[in-house]
Each structure stands twice: as C-alpha cells, then as structure tokens.
Short mmCIF file of all heavy atoms in Angstrom, two decimals:
data_model
loop_
_atom_site.label_atom_id
_atom_site.label_comp_id
_atom_site.label_asym_id
_atom_site.label_seq_id
_atom_site.Cartn_x
_atom_site.Cartn_y
_atom_site.Cartn_z
N THR A 1 0.83 -1.20 -0.01
CA THR A 1 0.04 -0.04 0.01
C THR A 1 0.87 1.23 -0.02
O THR A 1 1.93 1.24 0.60
CB THR A 1 -0.93 0.03 1.25
OG1 THR A 1 -0.09 -0.09 2.47
CG2 THR A 1 -1.90 -1.14 1.29
N VAL A 2 0.34 2.32 -0.62
CA VAL A 2 1.11 3.61 -0.65
C VAL A 2 0.76 4.35 0.59
O VAL A 2 -0.29 4.56 0.99
CB VAL A 2 0.64 4.39 -1.91
CG1 VAL A 2 1.32 5.79 -1.85
CG2 VAL A 2 0.97 3.65 -3.24
N VAL A 3 1.91 4.76 1.26
CA VAL A 3 1.81 5.50 2.47
C VAL A 3 2.00 7.02 2.03
O VAL A 3 3.11 7.35 1.53
CB VAL A 3 2.91 5.21 3.48
CG1 VAL A 3 2.80 6.08 4.78
CG2 VAL A 3 2.71 3.68 3.89
N PRO A 4 1.02 7.91 2.21
CA PRO A 4 1.18 9.23 1.73
C PRO A 4 2.16 10.02 2.59
O PRO A 4 2.28 9.85 3.84
CB PRO A 4 -0.29 9.80 1.82
CG PRO A 4 -0.89 8.98 2.92
CD PRO A 4 -0.29 7.64 2.80
N ASP A 5 2.90 10.92 1.92
CA ASP A 5 3.75 11.86 2.59
C ASP A 5 3.06 13.02 3.14
O ASP A 5 3.51 13.72 4.19
CB ASP A 5 4.80 12.29 1.66
CG ASP A 5 5.66 11.05 1.12
OD1 ASP A 5 5.23 10.56 0.07
OD2 ASP A 5 6.60 10.72 1.73
N VAL A 6 1.94 13.47 2.53
CA VAL A 6 1.23 14.67 2.84
C VAL A 6 -0.27 14.32 3.07
O VAL A 6 -0.80 13.48 2.31
CB VAL A 6 1.32 15.72 1.79
CG1 VAL A 6 0.69 17.00 2.15
CG2 VAL A 6 2.81 16.01 1.43
N LEU A 7 -0.89 14.85 4.11
CA LEU A 7 -2.31 14.59 4.35
C LEU A 7 -3.03 15.85 4.14
O LEU A 7 -2.58 16.99 4.52
CB LEU A 7 -2.48 14.21 5.79
CG LEU A 7 -1.67 12.95 6.21
CD1 LEU A 7 -1.99 12.66 7.72
CD2 LEU A 7 -2.04 11.76 5.40
N MET A 8 -4.25 15.81 3.49
CA MET A 8 -5.06 17.04 3.16
C MET A 8 -6.49 16.71 3.50
O MET A 8 -7.05 15.64 3.25
CB MET A 8 -4.91 17.32 1.66
CG MET A 8 -5.89 18.24 1.12
SD MET A 8 -5.87 18.23 -0.70
CE MET A 8 -7.45 19.08 -0.95
N HIS A 9 -7.11 17.61 4.13
CA HIS A 9 -8.51 17.46 4.51
C HIS A 9 -9.21 18.88 4.57
O HIS A 9 -8.51 19.89 4.64
CB HIS A 9 -8.71 16.75 5.83
CG HIS A 9 -7.86 17.29 6.99
ND1 HIS A 9 -8.34 18.28 7.74
CD2 HIS A 9 -6.64 16.98 7.42
CE1 HIS A 9 -7.48 18.59 8.67
NE2 HIS A 9 -6.39 17.79 8.44
N ALA A 10 -10.44 18.85 4.55
CA ALA A 10 -11.23 20.13 4.48
C ALA A 10 -11.12 20.87 5.87
O ALA A 10 -11.15 20.23 6.93
CB ALA A 10 -12.67 19.88 4.16
N GLY A 11 -11.03 22.18 5.75
CA GLY A 11 -10.89 22.98 6.96
C GLY A 11 -12.33 23.45 7.40
O GLY A 11 -13.26 23.44 6.58
N PRO A 12 -12.42 23.98 8.60
CA PRO A 12 -13.75 24.46 9.10
C PRO A 12 -14.21 25.71 8.38
O PRO A 12 -15.40 26.01 8.39
CB PRO A 12 -13.43 24.79 10.54
CG PRO A 12 -11.95 24.92 10.69
CD PRO A 12 -11.40 24.14 9.66
N ASP A 13 -13.24 26.47 7.76
CA ASP A 13 -13.70 27.64 7.02
C ASP A 13 -13.91 27.43 5.59
O ASP A 13 -14.08 28.41 4.80
CB ASP A 13 -12.58 28.74 7.27
CG ASP A 13 -11.21 28.22 6.65
OD1 ASP A 13 -11.12 26.98 6.47
OD2 ASP A 13 -10.30 29.07 6.57
N GLY A 14 -14.04 26.15 5.16
CA GLY A 14 -14.27 25.87 3.72
C GLY A 14 -13.01 25.76 2.97
O GLY A 14 -13.15 25.38 1.75
N GLY A 15 -11.83 25.93 3.49
CA GLY A 15 -10.54 25.83 2.75
C GLY A 15 -10.04 24.45 2.88
O GLY A 15 -10.71 23.46 3.31
N TRP A 16 -8.73 24.35 2.66
CA TRP A 16 -8.02 23.05 2.80
C TRP A 16 -6.90 23.11 3.81
O TRP A 16 -6.20 24.12 3.74
CB TRP A 16 -7.53 22.53 1.41
CG TRP A 16 -8.60 22.50 0.34
CD1 TRP A 16 -8.69 23.22 -0.75
CD2 TRP A 16 -9.59 21.38 0.22
NE1 TRP A 16 -9.75 22.89 -1.50
CE2 TRP A 16 -10.29 21.71 -0.95
CE3 TRP A 16 -9.91 20.32 1.00
CZ2 TRP A 16 -11.35 20.90 -1.37
CZ3 TRP A 16 -10.96 19.47 0.56
CH2 TRP A 16 -11.63 19.79 -0.65
N LEU A 17 -6.78 22.06 4.66
CA LEU A 17 -5.67 21.99 5.62
C LEU A 17 -4.67 20.97 5.03
O LEU A 17 -5.03 19.85 4.76
CB LEU A 17 -6.20 21.59 6.97
CG LEU A 17 -7.20 22.62 7.61
CD1 LEU A 17 -7.58 22.01 8.97
CD2 LEU A 17 -6.54 23.97 7.74
N VAL A 18 -3.45 21.37 4.91
CA VAL A 18 -2.43 20.57 4.45
C VAL A 18 -1.35 20.32 5.55
O VAL A 18 -0.86 21.32 6.18
CB VAL A 18 -1.73 21.05 3.18
CG1 VAL A 18 -0.70 20.16 2.64
CG2 VAL A 18 -2.82 21.30 2.14
N GLU A 19 -0.95 19.09 5.80
CA GLU A 19 0.04 18.77 6.76
C GLU A 19 0.81 17.51 6.37
O GLU A 19 0.41 16.70 5.66
CB GLU A 19 -0.65 18.52 8.19
CG GLU A 19 -1.66 17.37 8.19
CD GLU A 19 -2.29 17.17 9.54
OE1 GLU A 19 -1.91 17.88 10.51
OE2 GLU A 19 -3.26 16.32 9.53
N LEU A 20 2.02 17.42 7.00
CA LEU A 20 2.86 16.32 6.78
C LEU A 20 2.37 15.08 7.50
O LEU A 20 1.80 15.19 8.63
CB LEU A 20 4.31 16.60 7.10
CG LEU A 20 4.98 17.74 6.25
CD1 LEU A 20 6.39 17.97 6.85
CD2 LEU A 20 5.07 17.19 4.84
N ASN A 21 2.54 13.88 6.95
CA ASN A 21 2.20 12.68 7.65
C ASN A 21 3.31 12.39 8.67
O ASN A 21 4.39 12.03 8.29
CB ASN A 21 2.11 11.51 6.59
CG ASN A 21 1.62 10.26 7.29
OD1 ASN A 21 1.34 10.22 8.49
ND2 ASN A 21 1.42 9.24 6.43
N SER A 22 2.99 12.55 9.98
CA SER A 22 3.99 12.39 11.03
C SER A 22 4.52 10.95 11.08
O SER A 22 5.66 10.75 11.55
CB SER A 22 3.40 12.71 12.36
OG SER A 22 2.23 12.01 12.65
N GLU A 23 3.80 9.90 10.52
CA GLU A 23 4.25 8.56 10.63
C GLU A 23 5.40 8.30 9.70
O GLU A 23 6.13 7.36 9.85
CB GLU A 23 3.06 7.61 10.35
CG GLU A 23 1.97 7.63 11.37
CD GLU A 23 0.87 6.69 10.96
OE1 GLU A 23 1.06 6.00 9.93
OE2 GLU A 23 -0.13 6.60 11.73
N THR A 24 5.56 9.10 8.61
CA THR A 24 6.63 8.92 7.67
C THR A 24 7.90 9.75 8.02
O THR A 24 8.83 9.74 7.32
CB THR A 24 6.21 9.22 6.27
OG1 THR A 24 5.78 10.61 6.17
CG2 THR A 24 5.01 8.39 5.90
N LEU A 25 7.75 10.70 9.01
CA LEU A 25 8.88 11.57 9.33
C LEU A 25 9.80 10.86 10.31
O LEU A 25 9.41 10.37 11.37
CB LEU A 25 8.46 12.82 9.98
CG LEU A 25 7.55 13.74 9.15
CD1 LEU A 25 7.04 14.99 9.97
CD2 LEU A 25 8.32 14.24 7.90
N PRO A 26 11.10 10.72 9.89
CA PRO A 26 12.05 10.15 10.87
C PRO A 26 12.30 10.99 12.05
O PRO A 26 12.49 12.25 11.92
CB PRO A 26 13.36 9.94 9.97
CG PRO A 26 13.17 10.99 8.96
CD PRO A 26 11.70 11.23 8.74
N ARG A 27 12.27 10.40 13.27
CA ARG A 27 12.41 11.20 14.48
C ARG A 27 13.84 10.94 15.04
O ARG A 27 14.08 10.11 15.85
CB ARG A 27 11.34 10.80 15.57
CG ARG A 27 9.95 10.95 15.00
CD ARG A 27 8.96 10.46 16.07
NE ARG A 27 7.55 10.55 15.58
CZ ARG A 27 6.85 11.64 15.63
NH1 ARG A 27 7.32 12.75 16.16
NH2 ARG A 27 5.64 11.69 15.14
N VAL A 28 14.75 11.77 14.60
CA VAL A 28 16.12 11.73 15.07
C VAL A 28 16.59 13.04 15.57
O VAL A 28 16.05 14.13 15.08
CB VAL A 28 17.01 11.24 13.94
CG1 VAL A 28 16.74 9.77 13.51
CG2 VAL A 28 16.96 12.19 12.76
N LEU A 29 17.52 13.15 16.47
CA LEU A 29 18.08 14.25 17.01
C LEU A 29 19.51 14.05 17.53
O LEU A 29 20.01 12.90 17.59
CB LEU A 29 17.18 14.90 18.14
CG LEU A 29 16.68 13.92 19.16
CD1 LEU A 29 17.68 13.70 20.32
CD2 LEU A 29 15.32 14.38 19.74
N VAL A 30 20.14 15.07 17.90
CA VAL A 30 21.50 14.96 18.39
C VAL A 30 21.59 14.82 19.91
O VAL A 30 20.90 15.74 20.55
CB VAL A 30 22.31 16.20 17.84
CG1 VAL A 30 23.80 16.06 18.36
CG2 VAL A 30 22.26 16.37 16.39
N ASN A 31 22.23 13.89 20.49
CA ASN A 31 22.35 13.69 21.87
C ASN A 31 23.47 14.59 22.34
O ASN A 31 24.64 14.18 22.44
CB ASN A 31 22.60 12.24 22.15
CG ASN A 31 22.32 11.99 23.63
OD1 ASN A 31 22.51 12.82 24.55
ND2 ASN A 31 21.99 10.73 23.99
N ASN A 32 23.20 15.83 22.75
CA ASN A 32 24.19 16.75 23.16
C ASN A 32 24.76 16.34 24.54
O ASN A 32 26.00 16.61 24.81
CB ASN A 32 23.64 18.09 23.27
CG ASN A 32 23.32 18.75 21.87
OD1 ASN A 32 23.99 18.59 21.02
ND2 ASN A 32 22.16 19.44 21.79
N THR A 33 23.98 15.69 25.35
CA THR A 33 24.49 15.19 26.68
C THR A 33 25.53 14.21 26.50
O THR A 33 26.70 14.24 27.07
CB THR A 33 23.37 14.58 27.51
OG1 THR A 33 22.29 15.61 27.59
CG2 THR A 33 23.82 14.27 28.86
N TYR A 34 25.30 13.22 25.57
CA TYR A 34 26.38 12.20 25.32
C TYR A 34 27.59 12.85 24.66
O TYR A 34 28.83 12.44 24.94
CB TYR A 34 25.80 11.19 24.45
CG TYR A 34 26.75 9.97 24.16
CD1 TYR A 34 27.24 9.22 25.19
CD2 TYR A 34 27.12 9.69 22.80
CE1 TYR A 34 28.09 8.16 24.92
CE2 TYR A 34 27.95 8.56 22.59
CZ TYR A 34 28.47 7.91 23.63
OH TYR A 34 29.36 6.82 23.35
N TYR A 35 27.45 13.86 23.79
CA TYR A 35 28.53 14.51 23.20
C TYR A 35 29.44 15.16 24.20
O TYR A 35 30.66 15.12 24.14
CB TYR A 35 28.09 15.50 22.18
CG TYR A 35 29.15 16.46 21.68
CD1 TYR A 35 30.19 16.01 20.84
CD2 TYR A 35 29.15 17.77 22.09
CE1 TYR A 35 31.10 16.84 20.35
CE2 TYR A 35 30.07 18.66 21.71
CZ TYR A 35 31.08 18.22 20.81
OH TYR A 35 32.08 19.04 20.42
N ALA A 36 28.84 15.88 25.23
CA ALA A 36 29.59 16.50 26.25
C ALA A 36 30.39 15.48 27.09
O ALA A 36 31.56 15.83 27.38
CB ALA A 36 28.67 17.36 27.15
N GLU A 37 29.88 14.37 27.28
CA GLU A 37 30.60 13.38 28.09
C GLU A 37 31.79 12.79 27.42
O GLU A 37 32.84 12.71 27.89
CB GLU A 37 29.57 12.21 28.46
CG GLU A 37 28.47 12.59 29.43
CD GLU A 37 27.51 11.46 29.71
OE1 GLU A 37 27.70 10.40 29.18
OE2 GLU A 37 26.51 11.72 30.44
N ILE A 38 31.59 12.34 26.10
CA ILE A 38 32.65 11.71 25.37
C ILE A 38 33.70 12.77 24.95
O ILE A 38 34.88 12.47 24.76
CB ILE A 38 32.11 10.85 24.25
CG1 ILE A 38 31.36 11.74 23.20
CG2 ILE A 38 31.24 9.76 24.74
CD1 ILE A 38 30.96 11.06 22.03
N ASN A 39 33.30 14.01 24.77
CA ASN A 39 34.30 14.97 24.35
C ASN A 39 35.23 15.33 25.44
O ASN A 39 36.37 15.66 25.20
CB ASN A 39 33.51 16.26 23.99
CG ASN A 39 34.37 17.25 23.19
OD1 ASN A 39 35.28 16.93 22.39
ND2 ASN A 39 34.25 18.58 23.45
N GLN A 40 34.80 15.28 26.70
CA GLN A 40 35.70 15.54 27.79
C GLN A 40 36.68 14.43 28.02
O GLN A 40 37.80 14.59 28.47
CB GLN A 40 34.86 15.82 29.13
CG GLN A 40 34.03 17.09 29.10
CD GLN A 40 33.18 17.22 30.25
OE1 GLN A 40 33.20 16.39 31.14
NE2 GLN A 40 32.50 18.43 30.40
N SER A 41 36.19 13.19 27.70
CA SER A 41 37.06 11.96 28.00
C SER A 41 37.96 11.71 26.83
O SER A 41 38.84 10.83 26.96
CB SER A 41 36.12 10.76 28.25
OG SER A 41 35.35 10.51 27.13
N ALA A 42 37.80 12.34 25.68
CA ALA A 42 38.69 12.11 24.53
C ALA A 42 40.07 12.59 24.80
O ALA A 42 40.27 13.71 25.25
CB ALA A 42 38.12 12.77 23.30
N LYS A 43 41.11 11.85 24.47
CA LYS A 43 42.47 12.21 24.86
C LYS A 43 43.21 12.58 23.61
O LYS A 43 43.87 13.60 23.50
CB LYS A 43 43.20 10.99 25.47
CG LYS A 43 42.45 10.46 26.85
CD LYS A 43 42.50 11.67 27.84
CE LYS A 43 41.92 11.12 29.18
NZ LYS A 43 41.81 12.19 30.25
N SER A 44 43.21 11.73 22.54
CA SER A 44 44.01 11.92 21.37
C SER A 44 43.27 12.91 20.45
O SER A 44 42.08 13.07 20.48
CB SER A 44 44.30 10.61 20.59
OG SER A 44 43.10 10.05 20.18
N ASP A 45 44.13 13.51 19.59
CA ASP A 45 43.56 14.40 18.53
C ASP A 45 42.68 13.65 17.51
O ASP A 45 41.69 14.20 17.07
CB ASP A 45 44.72 15.10 17.81
CG ASP A 45 45.48 16.12 18.68
OD1 ASP A 45 44.93 16.45 19.71
OD2 ASP A 45 46.60 16.44 18.34
N GLN A 46 42.98 12.47 17.28
CA GLN A 46 42.22 11.63 16.32
C GLN A 46 40.84 11.43 16.89
O GLN A 46 39.82 11.47 16.13
CB GLN A 46 42.91 10.36 16.04
CG GLN A 46 42.18 9.43 15.01
CD GLN A 46 42.96 8.16 14.70
OE1 GLN A 46 43.99 7.91 15.30
NE2 GLN A 46 42.41 7.39 13.79
N ASP A 47 40.77 11.14 18.20
CA ASP A 47 39.38 10.85 18.80
C ASP A 47 38.57 12.16 18.80
O ASP A 47 37.35 12.17 18.48
CB ASP A 47 39.56 10.39 20.21
CG ASP A 47 40.17 9.01 20.36
OD1 ASP A 47 40.11 8.27 19.30
OD2 ASP A 47 40.65 8.58 21.43
#
C-alpha cells in the first residue's frame, strides 16, 4: 500500500488544511549530553 507523505482535509472555514504525515517523518536528533561526556574524555587528537 502507498503511504502518503502529505495529508489533506477540509478545514472548518471551507478551505483546505495540508500537513505532513508524521508517521513517515524520521524522529532523530543529536544527543548533546552524550557528546559533552565523550568530548571531555577524549584524549588523542584523532578521537
């Protein structure tokens, strides 16, 4: 089955509401806490 990337439905004012399909959006972010921990413990320039 085709999973839509965009969802569209009628709005209360007679127009159209367009939104992204949240199920297809990858939920990733940067773990700044982990970065601060390993950055302090890194010894060599290569690390």
Side-chain angles (χ1 to χ4, degrees):
T1 57
V2 174
V3 179
D5 302 89
V6 184
L7 304 177
M8 167 194 166
H9 52 87
D13 57 349
W16 302 107
L17 298 180
V18 181
E19 60 183 354
L20 294 174
N21 187 357
S22 59
E23 295 183 359
T24 63
L25 294 177
R27 302 176 183 276
V28 294
L29 44 85
V30 182
N31 194 332
N32 291 319
T33 305
Y34 182 61
Y35 167 73
E37 293 177 0
I38 62 175
N39 192 39
Q40 293 177 357
S41 61
K43 302 299 183 182
S44 63
D45 293 339
Q46 183 178 1
D47 292 343

